[in-house]
Amino acid sequence: MGHRWGFLIVFLGAVGLLGSGYGRQQPSETAAQRCFCQVNLKRPCPFWNDINQCGRRDCAVKPCQSDEIPDGIKSASYKYSEEANNLIEECEQAERLGAVDESLSEETQKAVLQWTKHDDSSDNFCEADDIQSPDAEYVDLLLNPERYTGYKGPDAWKIWNVIYEENCFKPQTIKRPLNPLASGQGKSEENTFYSWLEGLCVEKRAFYRLISGLHASINVHLSARYLLQDTWLEKKWGHNITEFQQRFDGILTEGEGPRRLKNLYFLYLIELRALSKVVPFFERPDFQLFTGNKVQDAENKMLLLDILHEIKSFPLHFDENSFFAGDKKEANKLKEDFRLHFRNISRIMDCVGCLKCRLWGKLQTQGLGTALKILFSEKLIANMPESGPSYEFHLTRQEIVSLFNAFGRISTSVKELENFRNLLQNIH
């Protein structure tokens, strides 16, 4: 199994459509072999105006030039086949919005319309970027790895405070101990918070644990790829044991750190479960990882399915059927609140002052939102036709890229925990 998971990260980094972002850029790689995502990092913060943009060099994001992007990546947004890419290009060349190419069949016209409607539907857990916006840019994730940038202080704390205090299901009077030592909160306040949390329904507890797990995963990444040395000659990135301990050590965090790590594993199981559920979508013959090279596309799909079936064979330790299983009316209301809270968090990511942090925050948030969308679409996935358009359930290119990158990030976090465990054993 270990070899398979290691291969997963390498595989995702090699496919033009999908990418892990974890690893070194090899000089021999061509643009078609690197990984790209499309994101709008210029969207204004919808909640406050006083954003202090990080001026550090490591906070910057290097976008791709137009001639660096493979045609198969920048063509279509909805379907991943050569025919669909040609279809979208024809639509984009139309002289007015809504113009229809009369040579297209009625079924194809209906499919395109349904895909568009579905992408704008209320079933999505994230507010996705408008990839047609002139501010949207392609980003090579391997050239913009997630790592420590120096973005911290009040502005960074404000983001997480708003997420926890205003978007997790809790009264304003119950404060989460983000950092018990820094805030001066003692064990009595900490116990009050967790005693209250345990009294919540399973769905609201799960929501909090997902956000906490995402936060923990990001902190593991930053501790594992920390700027250890910065000279005019070179920069050295590596594991910062002190930083890791300050965030996760049970004594230094007064019991908070181990809870964060448990929530990280909970997030890992959630995303594993989603990937095992969505296998039928990727197995359909109409789905292709289109990059422009038919031989490579077929091989990539075969490798992807091999990994997904490996995931499906993993013993499942999470059952989402326990979610929203009570009174139908109350369950639907709770599910809608769940979705709206998560959408709000995805919007908060546009308030992050560090562009590189915003890039990876948006990508991982949307990846988790896509995982939730999959988990709550089990019947729709089961009813998909074996071929032809899937009207009820569909994933956009953005969602697929974010889904696998988010899983690549959380998988890396789990691996890095083992690395930190070994490092800590060597110094004690």
Side-chain angles (χ1 to χ4, degrees):
M1 177 75 77
H3 172 73
R4 291 279 187 165
W5 291 123
F7 176 70
L8 173 63
I9 296 178
V10 175
F11 164 66
L12 294 181
V15 181
L17 173 61
L18 309 175
S20 165
Y22 182 76
R24 295 179 178 269
Q25 174 65 34
Q26 301 298 326
S28 61
E29 285 183 330
T30 64
Q33 293 173 312
R34 299 201 300 269
C35 55
F36 298 88
C37 75
Q38 193 172 14
V39 63
N40 183 358
L41 298 176
K42 299 178 182 178
R43 286 178 58 172
C45 172
F47 301 105
W48 58 84
N49 297 320
D50 57 333
I51 300 179
N52 294 320
Q53 294 291 345
C54 174
R56 296 174 61 91
R57 180 175 53 185
D58 293 322
C59 285
V61 170
K62 180 183 178 181
C64 298
Q65 300 299 317
S66 178
D67 58 357
E68 295 179 312
I69 307 166
D71 291 336
I73 299 296
K74 62 185 178 182
S75 296
S77 304
Y78 300 111
K79 287 291 286 183
Y80 312 108
S81 65
E82 183 174 7
E83 293 78 11
N85 276 272
N86 292 336
L87 168 61
I88 298 296
E89 288 174 356
E90 292 173 359
C91 292
E92 289 175 347
Q93 294 172 358
E95 295 182 357
R96 61 185 181 84
L97 184 65
V100 176
D101 185 339
E102 297 299 333
S103 64
L104 301 178
S105 68
E106 183 178 349
E107 181 182 4
T108 302
Q109 295 176 32
K110 184 178 180 181
V112 173
L113 180 62
Q114 290 292 337
W115 293 334
T116 304
K117 286 183 177 180
H118 182 81
D119 289 338
D120 296 331
S121 73
S122 60
D123 291 334
N124 294 329
F125 281 75
C126 285
E127 186 170 299
D129 288 341
D130 178 10
I131 60 175
Q132 303 301 328
S133 167
D135 290 330
E137 298 176 300
Y138 286 94
V139 175
D140 186 334
L141 298 176
L142 295 181
L143 297 181
N144 296 275
E146 184 185 24
R147 60 191 179 191
Y148 179 79
T149 65
Y151 177 66
K152 56 185 178 180
D155 293 325
W157 277 87
K158 185 176 183 179
I159 298 295
W160 287 110
N161 274 318
V162 170
I163 289 175
Y164 283 116
E165 302 301 338
E166 298 183 17
N167 290 278
C168 287
F169 296 90
K170 55 178 287 301
Q172 293 290 330
T173 56
I174 305 295
K175 300 296 182 182
R176 177 190 184 275
L178 272 172
N179 187 332
L181 298 179
S183 63
Q185 293 177 326
K187 291 186 177 180
S188 60
E189 288 84 356
E190 178 188 355
N191 289 337
T192 298
F193 173 80
Y194 286 107
S195 297
W196 171 86
L197 183 66
E198 290 304 313
L200 288 178
C201 65
V202 62
E203 294 87 357
K204 292 181 179 180
R205 289 202 309 273
F207 187 95
Y208 166 78
R209 295 189 66 188
L210 289 174
I211 301 306
S212 175
L214 178 61
H215 192 184
S217 179
I218 291 173
N219 283 334
V220 170
H221 303 156
L222 304 187
S223 300
R225 303 198 70 175
Y226 200 90
L227 183 58
L228 302 177
Q229 178 180 323
D230 187 4
T231 66
W232 66 273
L233 191 61
E234 68 171 347
K235 285 189 173 185
K236 182 180 178 181
W237 306 86
H239 295 82
N240 187 322
I241 299 176
T242 301
E243 186 75 16
F244 181 83
Q245 288 179 300
Q246 288 177 346
R247 297 174 185 271
F248 299 108
D249 183 88
I251 296 177
L252 295 179
T253 61
E254 297 184 0
E256 170 74 4
R259 289 189 177 98
R260 295 170 182 166
L261 295 180
K262 287 181 180 179
N263 293 335
L264 185 154
Y265 281 107
F266 177 72
L267 171 63
Y268 182 57
L269 292 176
I270 289 283
E271 296 200 1
L272 273 176
R273 179 68 162 167
L275 288 172
S276 69
K277 290 275 188 181
V278 80
V279 171
F281 175 80
F282 293 107
E283 285 181 324
R284 301 169 75 246
D286 289 357
F287 178 84
Q288 298 180 37
L289 295 174
F290 180 68
T291 61
N293 184 323
K294 290 185 177 181
V295 175
Q296 187 65 53
D297 292 343
E299 182 180 349
N300 288 341
K301 180 175 180 179
M302 180 182 67
L303 293 174
L304 174 61
L305 291 178
D306 188 33
I307 295 297
L308 290 176
H309 285 122
E310 189 74 35
I311 292 174
K312 197 169 184 178
S313 68
F314 181 79
L316 299 176
H317 301 289
F318 173 79
D319 182 8
E320 73 282 357
N321 291 324
S322 61
F323 281 5
F324 313 109
D327 177 80
K328 188 173 183 179
K329 185 176 181 181
E330 292 182 3
N332 288 337
K333 173 64 168 57
L334 182 58
K335 182 178 179 180
E336 179 64 8
D337 289 342
F338 198 98
R339 187 185 65 82
L340 291 177
H341 278 241
F342 199 87
R343 281 181 68 93
N344 209 43
I345 290 175
S346 73
R347 298 174 68 204
I348 292 174
M349 291 299 164
D350 285 318
C351 301
V352 177
C354 166
L355 290 184
K356 187 169 291 183
C357 305
R358 184 184 300 188
L359 166 66
W360 285 102
K362 288 165 72 77
L363 197 63
Q364 293 174 80
T365 302
Q366 184 168 2
L368 176 53
T370 303
L372 294 174
K373 171 181 173 179
I374 292 168
L375 289 179
F376 298 133
S377 302
E378 182 175 13
K379 292 183 179 179
L380 299 181
I381 295 174
N383 293 329
M384 287 189 307
E386 293 184 2
S387 62
S390 175
Y391 298 126
E392 298 298 329
F393 179 82
H394 183 71
L395 294 178
T396 67
R397 171 173 284 172
Q398 278 182 294
E399 289 173 319
I400 294 172
V401 170
S402 62
L403 175 67
F404 283 99
N405 273 280
F407 181 67
R409 293 282 73 207
I410 188 65
S411 299
T412 300
S413 295
V414 172
K415 177 62 177 177
E416 290 294 357
L417 290 181
E418 180 66 23
N419 293 335
F420 275 113
R421 186 179 295 111
N422 293 333
L423 291 171
L424 288 169
Q425 288 176 347
N426 292 334
I427 64 175
H428 290 299

